Amino acid sequence: MRIIKKLSFVLSTVVIISCSQKVLQPKLALVSKNNLETRVDSVLKLMTLEEKIGQLNQYNGFWEITGPTPKEGQAAKKYADLKNGLVGSMLNVKGVKDVRALQKIAVEETRLGIPLIFGFDVIHGYKTISPIPLAEAASWDLSEIKKSAAVAAEEAASVGLNWTFAPMVDIARDARWGRVMEGAGEDPFLGSQIAIARVQGFQGEDLKARNTVLACAKHFAGYGFAESGRDYNTVDIGESTLQNIVFPPFKAALDSGVRTFMNSFNELNGIPATGNKFLQRDILKKEWQFDGFVVSDWGSINEMIAHGYAKDSKHAAEIAINAGSDMDMESSAYVEHLAVLVKEGKVKESLIDDAARRILRVKFELGLFDNPYLYCDENYEKETIGKPAFQEAVLEMAKKSIVLLKNDKELLPLKKSGLKIVVIGALANDKTSPLGSWRIAADDDTAVSLVEGLQQYKGNKLSYVKGADVAVGRTQFVWETKINTTDKSGFAEAITAAKGADVVIMNLGEHGLQSGEGRSRTEIGLPGVQQELLEEIYKVNQNIVLVLNNGRPLAIPWADANIPAIVEAWQLGTQSGNAIAQVLYGDYNPSGKLPMTFPRNVGQVPIYYNYKNTGRPELPEADSVFWSHYIDQENTPLYPFGYGLSYSKFEYSNLELSQNSFAGDGLINVSVTVKNTGKYRGKEVVQLYIRDLFASVTRPVKELKGFEMIELQPNESKKVSFVINKKSIEFFTANSKWEAEAGDFKVFVGGSSAQTLESNFQYLNN
Ligand code: NOJ
């Protein structure tokens, strides 16, 4: 079916191109150039109601899908709408040739010739794939993250795209949720810093430049809090969590200039986000003064029917536009119903004008009215895709994303000669899995596998045995029901090989397609028979380096208790194998820190470092059960937020505060000395947390408020300083305002959220 659709589209494209050879001249290029708003208004004035609604309509390309498959026969209707000026944007169109063909229809065949915006999920790269965003977050390296987004933007813009549906800035605490891979983890402070870096990386200084794209802060809001970690599930959270945890990265993205927002599939406290006036009108457009536009998520306007919030598509369109959703992605609800709704008086035309104005404004900002084909140059596309500078950038990013979880016996770094190394695990030889699940434009088998990366080091004797598969089968958007293989027929060969090795590198974990949208899990251990394989190999050889690939925190208590070296290598993208090999051999000293807590088992989930103390945080008396705990497991995680080792060792001392209190707009300088007591030069992310001991709304036991990455030679010490001011202690108080409340605080500084030096201070008034 999809092939037929594709063919019919390709045929029509050919016809259009061959009978339309005239010089391309956007009809509106000559509108007043005075200022942006005048230009926008001058276009708006020429438009009929239907044409304005057309700007609010976004269609999927005719064959690629990133949501439920469109109904049959839609291609012809979409195509007709496009020619009639009833489409404002398209998504999932790949490559200059197709972008140009569709843009040409919009510019030359519609009455007003308004150019389209082309959007695409460039989540962590277009064809050159960088690490999944959760992995990038583990680098805590904002300039590298910004660079990675800039690389993605440059490559995406070279294929004709003007808009990426990234960054996803949803805070997530539940490892069962498959989309934790797409965000920056559990913390609003780190999440905000990363949101800024990614928006700046994608959008650059100038949206009209040929190497930048529009960014999109998504999913507004609360999507990361789906009940039981099941994607698309209900979200029910209080105002304090919404304001203090969920909103900050969105606000940070907005303050750094993000020009679009995407709303989300979930309902929030009984109201679907797509139809949520509080979120989109009261907060985003009124309080935060956002003047870009909001796109719905895929089909989320019509999904309000299934939510039980709209009685039919027409009603859904009415709710969504009134609530402030400006562009309809793939529901066709706006293009089908808005004109009638305006005529019936159910929707004010001024709201349509406002939405169309927002979209046109962004089109002007992109320079599309000046040159709709700015992004359509096939030679430039060829020169740009996959260029060596991109490979270098994603390799750098990948190395910095790796987190060393355990290194007993100093098994790592590996010696460069004289070792017999056996590599085990299907993932080690997989050239697709490292690309992750959001890599719709990247070709299969284009990542450097771990085996290939290790082969670059010629001094050791290297062999590879699969041992076991990870999953039964895979396709990008349809997942086999039986995801985990039970086949153990490869065990014997792997056991024999492991027996004679000096070191066994086991590359286990999730396939890239086992996390991402629609891929929630109820078990978060090693999928399939991999745990069994690990234990069998351990019986014959204990010198194991476990390299994990995964898109979410995994629960691996047995490995933590038994395996001497564990390396968290996520899904690291195109250069994955090279990055891991360089870390294993010590050519890059690991510096990553976890952006999300790793639980001991799935029952602890959601687990996060910035939890609330509760009224019963401790054992009141010996053997009492009446405190907040489990009777079968500790409360503490396996690996805490902010945790990550290095081949160096860092010692923290001399936590000093310039004063123990401050008032009003004053500040306290906090400093600490960090010394590298190890043998290797290394990087450390020094983290500062605070705790507000009592407040008008209960506060978390720790909140990250600052971090700095330093690099130290062996024996070198550095004094690292942070500032605590009013902003550091502000939160959304019982007065429903962001304010600083006077009171007592603790401050912690260390190399993770769990290992910290501690002191106290007071805030005297506001
Ligand atoms: C649905 C996802 O939730 C969203 O993040 C994505 O951008 C759209 N599909 C478009 O593919």
Side-chain angles (χ1 to χ4, degrees), residues 66 91 121 165 179 218-219 262 265 297-298 329 517:
T66 49
L91 77 150
D121 290 289
F165 304 128
R179 288 192 91 165
K218 70 187 190 184
H219 305 86
M262 185 184 291
F265 289 127
D297 203 343
W298 178 290
M329 181 193 290
E517 187 180 347

Side-chain angles (χ1 to χ4, degrees), residues 526-582:
L526 298 171
V529 293
Q530 296 179 98
Q531 178 63 36
E532 245 178 285
L533 177 65
L534 180 63
E535 293 183 25
E536 288 304 315
I537 300 295
Y538 182 77
K539 284 181 192 157
V540 299
N541 192 333
Q542 302 191 354
N543 279 344
I544 296 177
V545 175
L546 172 60
V547 176
L548 294 171
N549 289 146
N550 39 295
R552 54 161 65 74
L554 293 180
I556 47 156
W558 186 90
D560 177 63
N562 295 285
I563 301 299
I566 307 178
V567 175
E568 175 52 74
W570 318 102
Q571 277 108 29
L572 292 176
T574 308
Q575 288 290 330
S576 174
N578 286 334
I580 303 170
Q582 289 185 27

Side-chain angles (χ1 to χ4, degrees), residues 219-285:
H219 305 86
F220 201 59
Y223 185 43
F225 281 73
E227 276 180 6
S228 4
R230 204 183 73 214
D231 206 3
Y232 318 124
N233 204 4
T234 304
V235 175
D236 211 322
I237 52 175
E239 195 185 25
S240 175
T241 301
L242 190 63
Q243 292 277 357
N244 289 304
I245 306 290
V246 172
F247 283 168
F250 285 101
K251 181 67 167 50
L254 183 131
D255 291 342
S256 63
V258 76
R259 297 306 287 139
T260 72
F261 268 59
M262 185 184 291
N263 59 36
S264 66
F265 289 127
N266 57 283
E267 68 159 76
L268 176 68
N269 306 333
I271 300 178
T274 307
N276 200 311
K277 207 163 157 289
F278 163 72
L279 287 174
Q280 300 173 108
R281 291 223 180 269
D282 299 350
I283 298 290
L284 183 59
K285 292 181 176 173

Side-chain angles (χ1 to χ4, degrees), residues 630-757:
Y630 302 100
I631 57 170
D632 61 350
Q633 185 56 270
E634 290 182 33
N635 284 3
T636 59
L638 193 63
Y639 304 118
F641 173 83
Y643 169 82
L645 304 173
S646 156
Y647 298 147
S648 321
K649 303 245 174 308
F650 299 104
E651 226 176 66
Y652 285 72
S653 62
N654 297 335
L655 177 63
E656 281 171 2
L657 272 59
S658 57
Q659 58 207 55
N660 285 98
S661 63
F662 74 108
D665 292 326
L667 55 85
I668 296 179
N669 269 308
V670 179
S671 65
V672 73
T673 304
V674 186
K675 181 172 183 191
N676 180 354
T677 58
K679 294 187 289 212
Y680 304 89
R681 181 168 61 102
K683 291 193 189 123
E684 168 75 339
V685 180
V686 183
Q687 302 157 41
L688 175 124
Y689 298 84
I690 62 158
R691 176 170 178 186
D692 187 343
L693 290 172
F694 58 90
S696 65
V697 174
T698 60
R699 307 299 302 135
V701 296
K702 260 177 203 166
E703 294 178 81
L704 182 71
K705 291 294 172 182
F707 60 89
E708 193 177 323
M709 185 181 274
I710 54 167
E711 182 160 22
L712 295 175
Q713 300 290 344
N715 267 320
E716 195 189 354
S717 305
K718 223 176 229 173
K719 190 167 164 179
V720 181
S721 300
F722 298 94
V723 168
I724 291 181
N725 57 20
K726 193 169 161 189
K727 190 143 191 10
S728 327
I729 59 171
E730 276 176 358
F731 67 100
F732 194 77
T733 68
N735 292 332
S736 297
K737 275 197 238 156
W738 279 82
E739 352 173 67
E741 288 181 353
D744 296 337
F745 295 80
K746 282 189 176 186
V747 54
F748 314 86
V749 181
S752 87
S753 62
Q755 290 203 331
T756 51
L757 300 175

Side-chain angles (χ1 to χ4, degrees), residues 469-543:
D469 276 313
V470 176
V472 174
R474 58 182 170 81
T475 57
Q476 190 155 1
F477 291 109
V478 187
W479 189 254
E480 310 279 334
T481 37
K482 275 187 173 173
I483 57 168
N484 295 329
T485 181
T486 51
D487 181 5
K488 293 192 242 171
S489 59
F491 275 30
E493 193 193 354
I495 292 167
T496 310
K499 275 183 188 158
D502 297 311
V503 177
V504 182
I505 298 175
M506 297 199 66
N507 189 189
L508 307 178
E510 298 179 317
H511 188 277
L513 294 175
Q514 282 174 315
S515 61
E517 187 180 347
R519 294 170 178 106
S520 296
R521 291 178 65 202
T522 60
E523 299 288 349
I524 54 169
L526 298 171
V529 293
Q530 296 179 98
Q531 178 63 36
E532 245 178 285
L533 177 65
L534 180 63
E535 293 183 25
E536 288 304 315
I537 300 295
Y538 182 77
K539 284 181 192 157
V540 299
N541 192 333
Q542 302 191 354
N543 279 344

